[in-house]
């Protein structure tokens, strides 16, 4: 199975309450969406966490080919090997991504403009908006999954 995955991560402040958004597609069909608070973090931690969740979901779905689209140019270039990972908090996340990608016959990651990542971006914004409206200090525990992901 070949999947196209859109990921995004963000936070209120940097660091601050953080959230992830993931959209997994098989052709034009959306198989799963994930919107989840991850507690306090930076934008980069949220971006990597979104990618990790996405790759784990792809493995659960038994995908053998994965094409990831992200609006994080930094993460894309780090995962592609163009940039080194220098920040100590990101290194373990990077290593986990590399470990997970070994589970696929084919793995590609590409940077896309935010406008082309609007579904994943909207998922992140929805979690962060709910967290800020609830007056909580972080977005941990706020999660939504698409109906198609529960079957």
């Amino acid at each position: 199975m070949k999947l196209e995955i859109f990921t995004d991560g963000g936070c209120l402040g940097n660091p601050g309450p953080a959230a992830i958004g993931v959209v997994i597609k098989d052709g034009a069909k959306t198989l799963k969406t994930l919107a989840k608070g991850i507690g306090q973090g930076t934008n980069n931690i949220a971006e990597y966490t979104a990618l990790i969740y996405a790759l784990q979901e792809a493995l659960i779905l038994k995908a053998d080919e994965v094409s990831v689209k992200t609006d994080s140019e930094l993460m894309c270039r780090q995962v592609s090997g163009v940039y080194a990972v220098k920040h100590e908090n990101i290194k373990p996340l990077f290593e986990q991504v590399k470990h997970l990608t070994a589970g696929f016959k084919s793995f590609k990651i590409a940077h896309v403009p935010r406008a082309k990542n609007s579904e994943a971006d909207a998922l992140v914004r929805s979690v962060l908006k709910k967290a800020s409206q609830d007056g909580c200090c972080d977005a941990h525990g706020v999660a939504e999954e698409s109906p198609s992901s529960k079957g």
Side-chain angles (χ1 to χ4, degrees), residues 24 49 51-61 96 100 104:
I24 301 175
T49 302
L51 180 56
I52 289 166
Y53 269 85
L55 295 173
Q56 290 172 333
E57 291 295 332
L59 288 169
I60 290 167
L61 291 168
Q96 188 174 1
L100 290 167
F104 303 105

Side-chain angles (χ1 to χ4, degrees), residues 62-140:
K62 301 191 183 338
D64 54 0
E65 296 181 42
V66 173
S67 176
V68 174
K69 310 288 194 274
T70 177
D71 59 20
S72 172
E73 187 173 5
L74 175 65
M75 181 182 71
C76 179
R77 289 184 179 207
Q78 288 173 332
V79 172
S80 298
V82 176
Y83 291 167
V85 176
K86 296 179 182 175
H87 198 283
E88 291 301 318
N89 289 345
I90 300 298
K91 285 181 180 180
L93 300 174
F94 172 81
E95 290 170 10
Q96 188 174 1
V97 166
K98 287 308 212 180
H99 179 72
L100 290 167
T101 60
F104 303 105
K105 183 174 107 179
S106 171
F107 170 78
K108 297 177 186 171
I109 187 167
H111 174 254
V112 295
R114 180 173 288 163
K116 299 228 183 231
N117 200 29
S118 59
E119 289 180 76
D121 182 67
L123 293 171
V124 171
R125 290 178 186 274
S126 71
V127 173
L128 294 177
K129 181 177 180 182
K130 182 169 179 16
S132 68
Q133 287 174 342
D134 290 348
C136 48
C137 58
D138 66 40
H140 188 70

